Amino acid sequence: YLDMSYDRLNDEIIKPYEHALRVQSALSKIHQTSSILRDALIFLHLMRQITDASPLVENDFSTFQNALKLASLHSQIQKNLSGNANLRSLRLIKKYDAEVISVNRQQTLRYISDAFTKECLNNYRIKNNPENIEVLGNALFTLSQRDYISSLDRAIISKALSTNQVLGKTITSIRSFSTAMEDASKNGECILHLEESLRRVPVKNSNLMQLYLSHKKESSLTEIFWSRVSRSFKKDFEISFNRGGPVGKSLLNNAQQITNDIKKNMANLGGDDNGNNLRIMLQAVSILDRQNRN
Amino acid sequence: MASNDDMLKMFFDEDFIPQAFVDVLLSSQNTQLNELRVVSSSLLSKLDYYTGRLTQELEVSIENLQKPAEPLAYLSTA
């Protein structure tokens, strides 16, 4: 056997080995071809579902549900595109991604973030139709986590702003402070409902509220709201107080009343952060305490 | 459609690039999506068929490769 002729070696080992290599390489090319083709078909299938979806026009619950379906279709198609790097370089896919998918995604995102922000500012619907916030929050988060966070930020900021406009006006006629404080705590209560609704929406083994708060230093949505209201009211309050004159004097004379109005209106607000929020709001008028002591 | 052998032969071509092939295939259907789906699905089933056939052939080649080794192994233990 030692002088096994080269031909026999060639026939029995080298040739079958080379043949096996060629077959193996063909197999892998077939596999790559079918995997790219399959991913392309998935893209086209998802695209058709997106274009077949009814347009988002109305502001009602069934439209919000369609928005959620559309958001998850978009998130699936993004996963499909990022799953196979070659997909995006196919001319047909690139064309549809630019002309159809991206355009639809922008429109969907605009509709959802507008609708979501509007719901967040609608005290009546927050209390009576929390399902709207839950579906829209979920849809917005699915489509773009960044936009979900910035939309919720915007809602809180404008809620605090409108609250401060009401509160700020009463500084020069402090007797109307009590009703203004009532409005403020109503807004605070709605923020609490908003927080509870978003907490009910499970996402990535957490929930929509927890994920939002993970980006914030505060520990609750109500704390974010009351901190903003208190900071801004404190500024206006102290300017008027330090200016003295009739307004300054009336603030001083009504110090007790002002503190009671804050305590009375915030006392019955729920939420485990409420004690802390009351302390935060009382800081806005803390200048009154310093005066009384000396 | 090329006869079966031509199609299969294509995958044995050294400079065949799956990516480019699919790109041309998809762009050539002048974006008739239904047409595209039909063509692609039939191609996919053909590729599955080829995969089955070539896998068998590969197994046979490997068996052939193992056969001559036995007597040598026998020789070394004698």
Side-chain angles (χ1 to χ4, degrees):
Chain A
Y1 278 103
L2 288 182
D3 57 3
M4 179 188 284
S5 68
Y6 175 77
D7 313 348
R8 200 174 146 235
L9 181 69
N10 194 18
D11 293 343
E12 290 187 17
I13 297 189
I14 294 170
K15 272 210 187 101
Y17 176 69
E18 278 164 0
H19 179 64
L21 282 186
R22 277 199 304 279
V23 169
Q24 195 265 338
S25 138
L27 263 174
S28 102
K29 290 190 180 192
I30 290 172
H31 173 69
Q32 281 170 50
T33 307
S34 53
S35 113
I36 297 173
L37 194 50
R38 275 203 179 81
D39 284 343
L41 286 179
I42 291 171
F43 175 92
L44 294 173
H45 173 66
L46 289 171
M47 182 178 78
R48 195 160 57 126
Q49 284 185 292
I50 286 175
T51 48
D52 285 357
S54 39
L56 304 174
V57 178
E58 300 307 324
N59 257 318
D60 54 30
F61 187 63
S62 73
T63 310
F64 297 158
Q65 285 175 311
N66 288 341
L68 176 57
K69 276 197 212 93
L70 215 46
S72 66
L73 282 173
H74 275 290
S75 118
Q76 281 171 56
I77 216 164
Q78 290 312 320
K79 232 174 260 139
N80 168 261
L81 281 171
S82 51
N84 187 332
N86 299 326
L87 208 48
R88 255 191 233 281
S89 62
L90 298 176
R91 276 168 291 172
L92 187 74
I93 304 296
K94 212 185 296 179
K95 179 168 112 70
Y96 280 133
D97 186 28
E99 289 168 12
V100 176
I101 301 302
S102 308
V103 170
N104 185 291
R105 188 176 179 282
Q106 275 320 325
Q107 287 160 350
T108 306
L109 183 57
R110 204 172 312 116
Y111 172 86
I112 294 175
S113 48
D114 290 352
F116 176 72
T117 308
K118 244 185 250 140
E119 288 298 316
C120 290
L121 297 175
N122 185 322
N123 285 6
Y124 178 83
R125 281 180 46 165
I126 290 180
K127 247 186 247 151
N128 299 293
N129 309 88
E131 67 282 3
N132 291 345
I133 293 274
E134 290 169 25
V135 167
L136 284 169
N138 196 0
L140 189 49
F141 185 85
T142 305
L143 204 52
S144 155
Q145 292 182 25
R146 203 169 34 81
D147 288 87
Y148 164 69
I149 290 165
S150 60
S151 297
L152 197 45
D153 286 342
R154 269 203 311 279
I156 296 294
I157 288 166
S158 74
K159 199 68 165 177
L161 201 63
S162 61
T163 307
N164 278 115
Q165 271 150 5
V166 170
L167 285 175
K169 284 206 209 71
T170 65
I171 292 177
T172 49
S173 60
I174 204 60
R175 254 174 301 293
S176 55
F177 176 69
S178 168
T179 40
M181 209 31 231
E182 220 177 285
D183 285 350
S185 48
K186 264 204 212 83
N187 286 343
E189 193 188 12
C190 285
I191 297 296
L192 180 61
H193 287 305
L194 174 60
E195 179 164 3
E196 284 158 353
S197 303
L198 294 175
R199 207 178 283 286
R200 279 194 295 267
V201 183
V203 165
K204 287 192 195 156
N205 57 48
S206 170
N207 61 64
L208 277 181
M209 184 38 59
Q210 215 41 50
L211 286 165
Y212 175 77
L213 290 173
S214 64
H215 295 267
K216 305 291 170 189
K217 54 182 177 4
E218 294 88 352
S219 61
S220 73
L221 205 60
T222 51
E223 184 188 339
I224 295 174
F225 170 74
W226 285 110
S227 310
R228 289 192 77 90
V229 169
S230 171
R231 237 188 344 266
S232 158
F233 185 59
K234 184 184 175 79
K235 203 159 38 55
D236 304 343
F237 192 85
E238 288 184 354
I239 289 170
S240 301
F241 186 85
N242 291 331
R243 218 183 273 133
V247 169
K249 250 192 232 72
S250 96
L251 293 181
L252 193 56
N253 299 342
N254 289 286
Q256 200 48 44
Q257 180 60 37
I258 293 170
T259 325
N260 289 347
D261 286 342
I262 294 177
K263 284 185 182 143
K264 182 179 56 133
N265 282 293
M266 287 186 71
N268 47 29
L269 290 179
D272 22 4
D273 262 10
N274 196 43
N276 181 37
N277 294 339
L278 173 57
R279 192 180 47 73
I280 288 171
M281 192 55 194
L282 286 172
Q283 273 161 11
V285 295
S286 56
I287 195 166
L288 295 172
D289 310 336
R290 285 199 295 281
Q291 297 311 321
N292 292 351
R293 268 195 301 284
N294 51 32
Chain B
M1 214 40 197
S3 77
N4 277 0
D5 308 331
D6 294 349
M7 170 67 84
L8 188 55
K9 251 192 243 116
M10 186 177 68
F11 293 106
F12 283 86
D13 177 346
E14 279 310 314
D15 35 17
F16 171 80
I17 303 167
Q19 161 85 9
F21 172 75
V22 174
D23 189 29
V24 167
L25 175 76
L26 293 182
S27 328
S28 65
Q29 303 301 325
N30 52 52
T31 64
Q32 278 302 332
L33 286 186
N34 298 346
E35 185 58 30
L36 205 58
R37 246 189 251 47
V38 168
V39 166
S40 307
S41 333
S42 74
L43 178 57
L44 279 173
S45 45
K46 187 168 294 178
L47 294 183
D48 291 344
Y49 164 70
Y50 285 157
T51 304
R53 248 185 62 190
L54 289 186
T55 309
Q56 254 172 1
E57 205 173 311
L58 193 56
E59 277 153 14
V60 164
S61 303
I62 291 169
E63 270 156 32
N64 292 344
L65 277 168
Q66 278 157 351
K67 242 183 259 125
E70 277 137 30
L72 292 176
Y74 165 72
L75 179 70
S76 65
T77 54

